[in-house]
Amino acid sequence: MKPLLKLTDVNSYYGKIHALNNINLEINEGEIVALLGSNGAGKSTTLKTISGLIKPKSGSIEWNGKSIVGAPVHKIVESGIIHVPEGRRIFSGLTVTENLELGGFTYRKDKKWVKEGIERSFDLFPRLKERAKQLAGTLSGGEQQMVAISRGLMANPKLLMLDEPSMGLAPIIVQEIMRIIREINKQGTTILLIEQNAKAALRLANRGYLIEIGNIVMHDTAEVLREDDKIIKAYLGA
Amino acid sequence: MEMFLQILIDGLVIGAFYSLVALGYTMVYGIIKLLNFAHGDLYMMGAFIGFTLLSFITGDGGVNTGLLGVAIVFIGTMTIVGLLGMGVERIAYRPLLLAPRLSILITAIGVSLSLEYTSMIGWGASYKVYPIKLPNDGLQFLGTQISFAQIGMIVLSALLMLGLRLFIDKTIYGKAMRAIALDQTACSLMGVNVHRIIALTFFIGAFLAAGAGIMSGVYYGTINFMMGFTIGLKAFTAAVLGGIGNITGAMLGGLVLGILEAFGTFYIGGSWKDVLAFGILILFLVFKPTGILGAKEMERM
Amino acid sequence: MSLLTVKNLKLQFGGLLAVNDLSFTVEKNSISSIIGPNGAGKTSVFNMITGFYRPTSGEIELDGISLINKKPSQITTLGMARTFQNLRLFPNLSVLDNVKSGMHCRTKQAVFGALFQTKSQKAEEKLIEKVALDCIEFVGITKYLKRSAKNLPYGAQRYLEIARALATKPKLLLLDEPAAGLNFEEKQYLIQLIRRVRDEFNITVLMIEHDMALIKQISEHITVIDYGCKIAEGTPEEVLKNEKVIEAYLGKEEVV
Amino acid sequence: SEGSSGGTGSSEEILVGVLLPVTGNNATDGKDMLNAMQMAAEKINNDGGVLGKKLKLEVADDACDPQMATTAANKLVSMKVTAVVGGYCSGSTLPASGVFNNAKIPMIVAAANSSELPAQGYENLFLINGLVPDQAQTGADYFNDKGAKNIVIIHDNSAYAKNLADFAKKSVEGNGGKVIGFEAINPEEKDFASLMTKLKSLNPDGTYFTGYYAAGGLMLKQFKEKGVSGFFMVGDGSYSPDIIDIAGAINADGLLVTATPTANFIPGADEFVKDYKSKYNDLTPGPFSALSYNGMNLLADALKRANSTNSEDLRKALKETKGFEGIGQVIEFNDQNSLNQSNFHVMKVVDGDFTLEK
Amino acid sequence: MKKYKKQSLGLLIISLFILPFFLNSYWLDVFTLVLFYVVLTQGLNIVVGYTGLLDLGYAAFFAVGAYTTAILMTTYHWSFWLTLPVAFVCAALSGIIIGTPTLRLRSDYLAIVTLGFGEIVKILATNLEITGSASGIYGIPRPAIGSYILSSQKDFYYLILIVAIISIIAVYRLGRSRIGRAWIYIREDEDAAEAMGINRIRLKLLSYATGAVIGSFAGSIFAVKMSAIAPLSFSFLQSVMILLAVVLGGLGSIPGVVIGAVLVIVLPEILRGADDWRYLIFGVSLVAMMIFRPQGILPSKNGTEDASELDESETNDPKQSVSV
Ligand SMILES: Nc1ncnc2c1ncn2[C@@H]1O[C@H](COP(=O)(O)OP(=O)(O)OP(=O)(O)O)[C@@H](O)[C@H]1O
Ligand SMILES: Nc1ncnc2c1ncn2[C@@H]1O[C@H](COP(=O)(O)OP(=O)(O)OP(=O)(O)O)[C@@H](O)[C@H]1O
Ligand SMILES: CC(C)C[C@H](N)C(=O)O
Ligand SMILES: [Mg+2]
Ligand SMILES: [Mg+2]
């Protein structure tokens, strides 16, 4: 089977900092792939490189068999790769509804889709419905995370990349989010997931990659990774 | 009482000019937080390009210039200056979008100087007298006089403001503009072509400024290459008074400033009127730090 | 003996009652925590305690001194320090300069001293530097000393915020979700760090956290709030079994 | 320091500084003045120059800005100019004259005429335009003759306009008239509607605007549009064909100007006007072209009389000028180094052109 | 390395002292103006560069110094040196007056309030009798040291050179002190600074007052150097030019700001030969310089030793820069 997304020998830099070193990574259609790694390992950088926020110095990124290196971010988004960034980055001065509408920017010609999308988001997170008219910047941290995820879903992604979606969320919401991720995946969206909550991530994922100081040091199916000593020590706890 | 009304009208007319320029100021500010000090110079450019085009079609002294001709000149000039605004954004501001905001402010000053002196080299340093003049007809009521030109000016700015307001509030492009103001990166992750939206904003702002520029030429009769400076300053003041970034605020700020100046001139004299205007502005901001309509900044800790 | 007393605290944002008649105390030398669903009002409570939000009504006392109507800077000087849920470092400044900020309220050189480089000025500068270095050393980020804060790995930024807060020599340290974004191993380090803060500096710690494993490990006392109201309080064992808490906050599954 | 030995550019040339606003709001008049000076210098050089040397002009722009004027003046001093001709705006001429006086370089001021200039008591400063007090008197007398008693005076806060306005007030009151309004405007502005509303409510017999033409034209236009009563008079800062252009010929009809007449009103100046026109593309000389022309010629004359480029000799020669005949004026200096008698008239715009009214 | 730096600094100062002997009076005047700008930019650097408060009316303090000295010397016949402390007090007070209403304001509102105050000061100067209204004050006497009267261009060059050196040292020392750091913390994140126990109100006022005193120092000397002052020298454009120098050189960076001052004055003078094209070229070069060095020519490093420059896409954090 041909992978949906394939990174080959990708190198990315921040100025002189070499953040990604010959990264090779594949995601097949329909999978949930987890990306694990400690702080500053380069997980977020990987997502930024895929979504075009950072241009890799070398290497190739193929999406559906076509190279997307150097394509502008909005084109990549239009092609179906949605990146829900770390730290939420919701539009604080816009209302919750407006945030969602912008999530559906690529579908702006299809008013009905956008409207239904908003309804779907409210079903997913009833709390947001209560806050629909509130400025997103005044929401609590957890509420903001909900906005960020549902905003990402508004564009009907083929590949959804989530950067630490459970960060700062109450346990009950984390469960909910994990359930929703599975749900989204079942409906056909491929998912690339960064999670510090490795336990939950590996329960959800089919496969996982471990990244350390810009290098992929391990990749395997989730079952295998769950049993790996190194992973247990650093990410899962005894 | 008549006097009062007449001053109010005088003030509204000046205010309408301030408002039109302030709208563009506020829009550009609203999206990339740039105080586009060159904005007043786009107004000046509008006046000069309009001057050249009008001189061209009124070669016969303006007798046969139909309304249609004038309308074409208006739209043509506004479009040219709109594109000029986009060009300025492309060359001077875009490379600096991620730089500290004060750096772009300096660039804006550079652009402002460049536009002023390009105009000076192209059209000369002295005053140009506009090729068409407005008829003085108008209405008399309650002992005051207001010309049709003045009514048109006020109505036109009100309509433009309303249109813009709807555009920004209701359309997805308007929302994208506001979103860019908050977080460009996140906005591009929504599939928004950030540069294009910013360019659009500059186009609209410059388009409006050019319109105001020609109107000023026609209304007052003279233009010169420094004419954008004072009005730029006043429009900036108006935009802040109204609550910078806020469309209705810019409009309101412009009118309030115009009226303040008119009353100031009347009651305390022309040389002190700016003291009154700035004094009230400062006092006002002390009590309402975000301008008349500016949203209270709700920052979470 | 209680170091912090919060009584009948209320906070209203327009129509929204973010905190409603909340009372609790924090014992001297304890490690306590506040938990509760997202949007329950935890951060708002911190913001009121530190003077950033003005409570609609209620009382807050630190060591017997009322904090109502005091500016954040005054409250810090009285012995309270905090970290922020969304990091609020001085992004372009070095780690060292970031931490030096904490000593501002403990020193007093003014313009004169700076201009004429008086003896006491120089002595104070030395002291500031020493305290800052100690705090940096304490949280373990000495290797980043001259890097600007914004270029630090996320975890290091969290520790830097703690170091900066420690430099104010607080009696009470408020931590808003200090473990967010840390992996298991890093959390273990954080737990040690918090313990050492209490044990080595005798600083009382009050934190907000969503990581129950961490809470269970170090928190001695928990206050649970939901919709701005207290719904439970007690030791971790008591609280985590509480039905109301499970329903509103923990959920049935185990995620940790 | 910068010695009292009048230097020269080279042994064949005498370097003459020219300080004028060739950019900015007053550039039109400034350039008209420059043209006349260049024409004069050319003529002098063609006739064999002065003391066997050619005059070489070094132009420095002051843009009517005091600070720019100081820098420009210092530049001229450093180039060791023998003398300076120029000075349009009093506001910038005031500080510049100080620089030249310190460097002991004689300056002939061709246009600027605030009474504060001679009041400085600089021995190296010579003024060949009539002074503001005389001008103010001329205007006030005209009003008085026409029975206009209630007068409004408007200035633009520039050194010259304020000076003229102050003296005009004195003169009007001295004539038994009443100053019912004394207003200031900001010259960068265009909208004088509310000021005109105020004027209308005052119902004046005459209005005297003492500022420059750019604002003067706009004001005149709005004065007429608002239908304010009485005469509208301007000072010589507004004496420029531009004012008619700006206000529009219809509005300008009847406009009064206090000024020393331009070349085309001066008997015997035909040749000057003809030469000027042929040299400068049919451009009519500006209001201060003749004075500038005279200034340059006076300098040449004084150099000849001094028979030296030494600044002290030159100053003495200038001071001792007796009956120098320029276009439309005979120049002789009083103890303040200004003209003994001035030549102010009232001009009136008729059918879009200035005519001599009185 | 450090020693090398010190030596070249010494060399620079010596050459500045012997410079007048190699310049004609025109260039001497230009360099004197540069030194005025060095002083002014140092003062503004405290307010904008250190504290991050955008001030569009800084020329007002320049005016306060100039007019205080001019009035006291002409109307009341004070000695120049005695007018200085009075000018400082007036400037500090006006700094506090301008500062107080702006305390709650953020960036752009601050900009307009300072601009407004700047204009008000100029309008006052233009209209009040005591300031000589539009024509300003002239015939300001020369200052004397003992029996020596400062009168030549060189005298004033040295006077302002010394003041420039003093102000550089003062601003340098302040920047590295507890107070200076507090200003920088406020610039970086006002709320976080407050949380660290920094009383932002007091420190902002102090910043305005200190900046104002330095600006007024330049103003006082300007008055006696020019011997004539007029409102036009203290216009909005003047404020903008000073700000231009500060940002062009590099906010908060002392050598940067000095270079900015040199550029802003010398560049237009060099371009004098280009006549009408002069300001067009100046404008275009401003744009070009900012595009190539967005952080200014010699940006401040804030004591950091980062390996990298900023990356392309992720520096879009509004808090990371001084807001306008
Ligand atoms: N904007 C930036 N400028 C400079 N360096 C950066 C920047 N962002 C990240 N880095 C560096 O790049 C490396 C990889 O960072 P990245 O954000 O990808 O880590 P991560 O794996 O997502 O970590 P975390 O769990 O903290 O989110 C780190 O060393 C980090 O310091
Ligand atoms: N400045 C503000 N303006 C308006 N509403 C606010 C403001 N700050 C907080 N709120 C509201 O108050 C409620 C409590 O917010 P708070 O940040 O205290 O929650 P929290 O308990 O810290 O949540 P989390 O765990 O998600 O961080 C939320 O519903 C939030 O929307
Ligand atoms: C002669 C006039 C033009 C007066 C001149 N503008 C001045 O300032 O004195
Ligand atoms: Mg990350
Ligand atoms: Mg919170």
Side-chain angles (χ1 to χ4, degrees), chain B residues 29 91 96 98 100-103 106-107 109 114 117-118 120 184-185 233 240 244 271-272 274 286 289-290, chain E residues 101 104-105 108-109 112 123 127 236 240 244 247 276 279-280 283-284 290-291 294-295 312-314 316 323-324:
Chain B
Y29 178 85
I91 296 169
L96 283 161
L98 301 173
R101 287 179 50 212
L102 265 178
S103 309
I106 298 308
T107 316
I109 294 168
S114 308
Y117 287 88
T118 303
M120 189 193 96
Q184 284 177 34
T185 307
L233 219 60
V240 173
I244 189 150
S271 46
W272 292 103
D274 282 349
V286 169
T290 50
Chain E
R104 282 172 64 214
L105 303 177
D108 312 278
Y109 298 95
I112 195 75
I123 297 168
N127 287 288
F236 173 61
V240 168
L244 193 64
V247 181
D276 282 358
Y279 282 104
L280 176 55
V284 171
M290 279 344 280
I291 289 177
Q295 313 281 343
E312 299 161 2
S313 53
E314 285 292 293
N316 183 25
S323 44
V324 175

Side-chain angles (χ1 to χ4, degrees), chain C residues 9-250:
Chain C
L9 204 58
K10 223 183 215 175
L11 178 68
Q12 191 135 14
F13 289 114
L16 178 81
L17 203 53
V19 175
N20 188 7
D21 206 22
L22 182 69
S23 306
F24 67 92
T25 57
V26 175
E27 293 305 303
K28 219 170 220 158
N29 259 328
S30 70
I31 298 179
S32 308
S33 44
I34 303 178
I35 64 171
N38 297 113
K42 306 179 295 295
T43 302
S44 301
V45 170
F46 268 24
N47 282 338
M48 285 187 284
I49 297 174
T50 51
F52 282 98
Y53 287 175
R54 182 163 298 192
T56 312
S57 64
E59 270 169 53
I60 306 169
E61 278 179 11
L62 178 72
D63 234 359
I65 302 170
S66 169
L67 303 184
I68 301 295
N69 284 333
K70 288 214 159 56
K71 278 199 295 259
S73 53
Q74 291 171 305
I75 294 175
T76 306
T77 313
L78 285 174
M80 178 119 61
R82 73 176 289 182
T83 63
F84 294 89
Q85 184 171 357
N86 307 315
L87 294 166
R88 296 294 287 270
L89 292 164
F90 304 117
N92 297 304
L93 303 186
S94 69
V95 166
L96 181 62
D97 278 344
N98 262 279
V99 179
K100 279 182 176 179
S101 69
M103 279 297 281
H104 184 91
C105 62
R106 303 287 169 233
T107 44
K108 44 180 179 300
Q109 288 305 313
V111 172
F112 183 85
L115 289 184
F116 298 98
Q117 296 285 304
T118 56
K119 242 195 207 138
S120 59
Q121 149 92 9
K122 284 187 182 151
E124 242 186 38
E125 279 297 309
K126 273 213 186 96
L127 177 71
I128 292 171
E129 177 138 349
K130 182 176 179 305
V131 172
L133 287 172
D134 288 350
C135 292
I136 293 167
E137 173 87 52
F138 182 81
V139 301
I141 51 171
T142 309
K143 65 173 170 187
Y144 295 124
L145 204 58
K146 292 279 169 75
R147 286 267 287 272
S148 58
K150 65 169 185 240
N151 285 342
L152 254 47
Y154 185 79
Q157 296 193 11
R158 291 247 114 147
Y159 301 138
L160 173 54
E161 254 206 341
I162 295 176
R164 188 178 68 172
L166 288 178
T168 68
K169 304 194 174 159
K171 297 177 194 156
L172 175 62
L173 175 63
L174 307 182
L175 303 171
D176 198 346
E177 301 197 25
L182 303 187
N183 69 28
F184 180 78
E185 212 175 9
E186 291 160 342
K187 276 176 193 159
Q188 298 312 306
Y189 180 78
L190 179 72
I191 289 170
Q192 293 312 313
L193 188 66
I194 294 175
R195 285 224 174 93
R196 282 168 52 220
V197 166
R198 194 255 311 260
D199 298 341
E200 290 174 30
F201 290 114
N202 287 324
I203 292 172
T204 310
V205 177
L206 174 63
M207 63 180 167
I208 297 173
E209 233 338 304
H210 287 304
D211 188 314
M212 286 310 113
L214 186 141
I215 293 277
K216 264 191 250 170
Q217 274 190 58
I218 51 169
S219 185
E220 289 144 12
H221 184 91
I222 303 180
T223 306
V224 190
I225 59 176
D226 188 16
Y227 284 105
C229 301
K230 183 161 76 185
I231 58 168
E233 102 184 286
T235 62
E237 290 74 37
E238 293 162 5
V239 164
L240 298 183
K241 272 195 285 237
N242 185 310
E243 267 309 309
K244 271 202 238 157
V245 177
I246 293 176
E247 193 184 331
Y249 181 63
L250 295 173

Side-chain angles (χ1 to χ4, degrees), chain E residues 108-169:
Chain E
D108 312 278
Y109 298 95
L110 188 68
I112 195 75
V113 167
T114 51
L115 185 155
F117 267 114
E119 288 299 289
I120 288 176
V121 167
K122 195 190 98 187
I123 297 168
L124 285 176
T126 316
N127 287 288
L128 293 178
E129 283 306 316
I130 186 164
T131 53
S133 59
S135 45
I137 298 175
Y138 44 90
I140 302 165
R142 303 298 190 180
I145 300 175
S147 63
Y148 181 74
I149 293 177
L150 300 180
S151 63
S152 75
Q153 269 184 297
K154 280 199 192 83
D155 294 342
F156 288 106
Y157 174 88
Y158 287 121
L159 180 60
I160 188 73
L161 176 62
I162 289 165
V163 173
I165 291 172
I166 291 174
S167 63
I168 286 176
I169 293 174

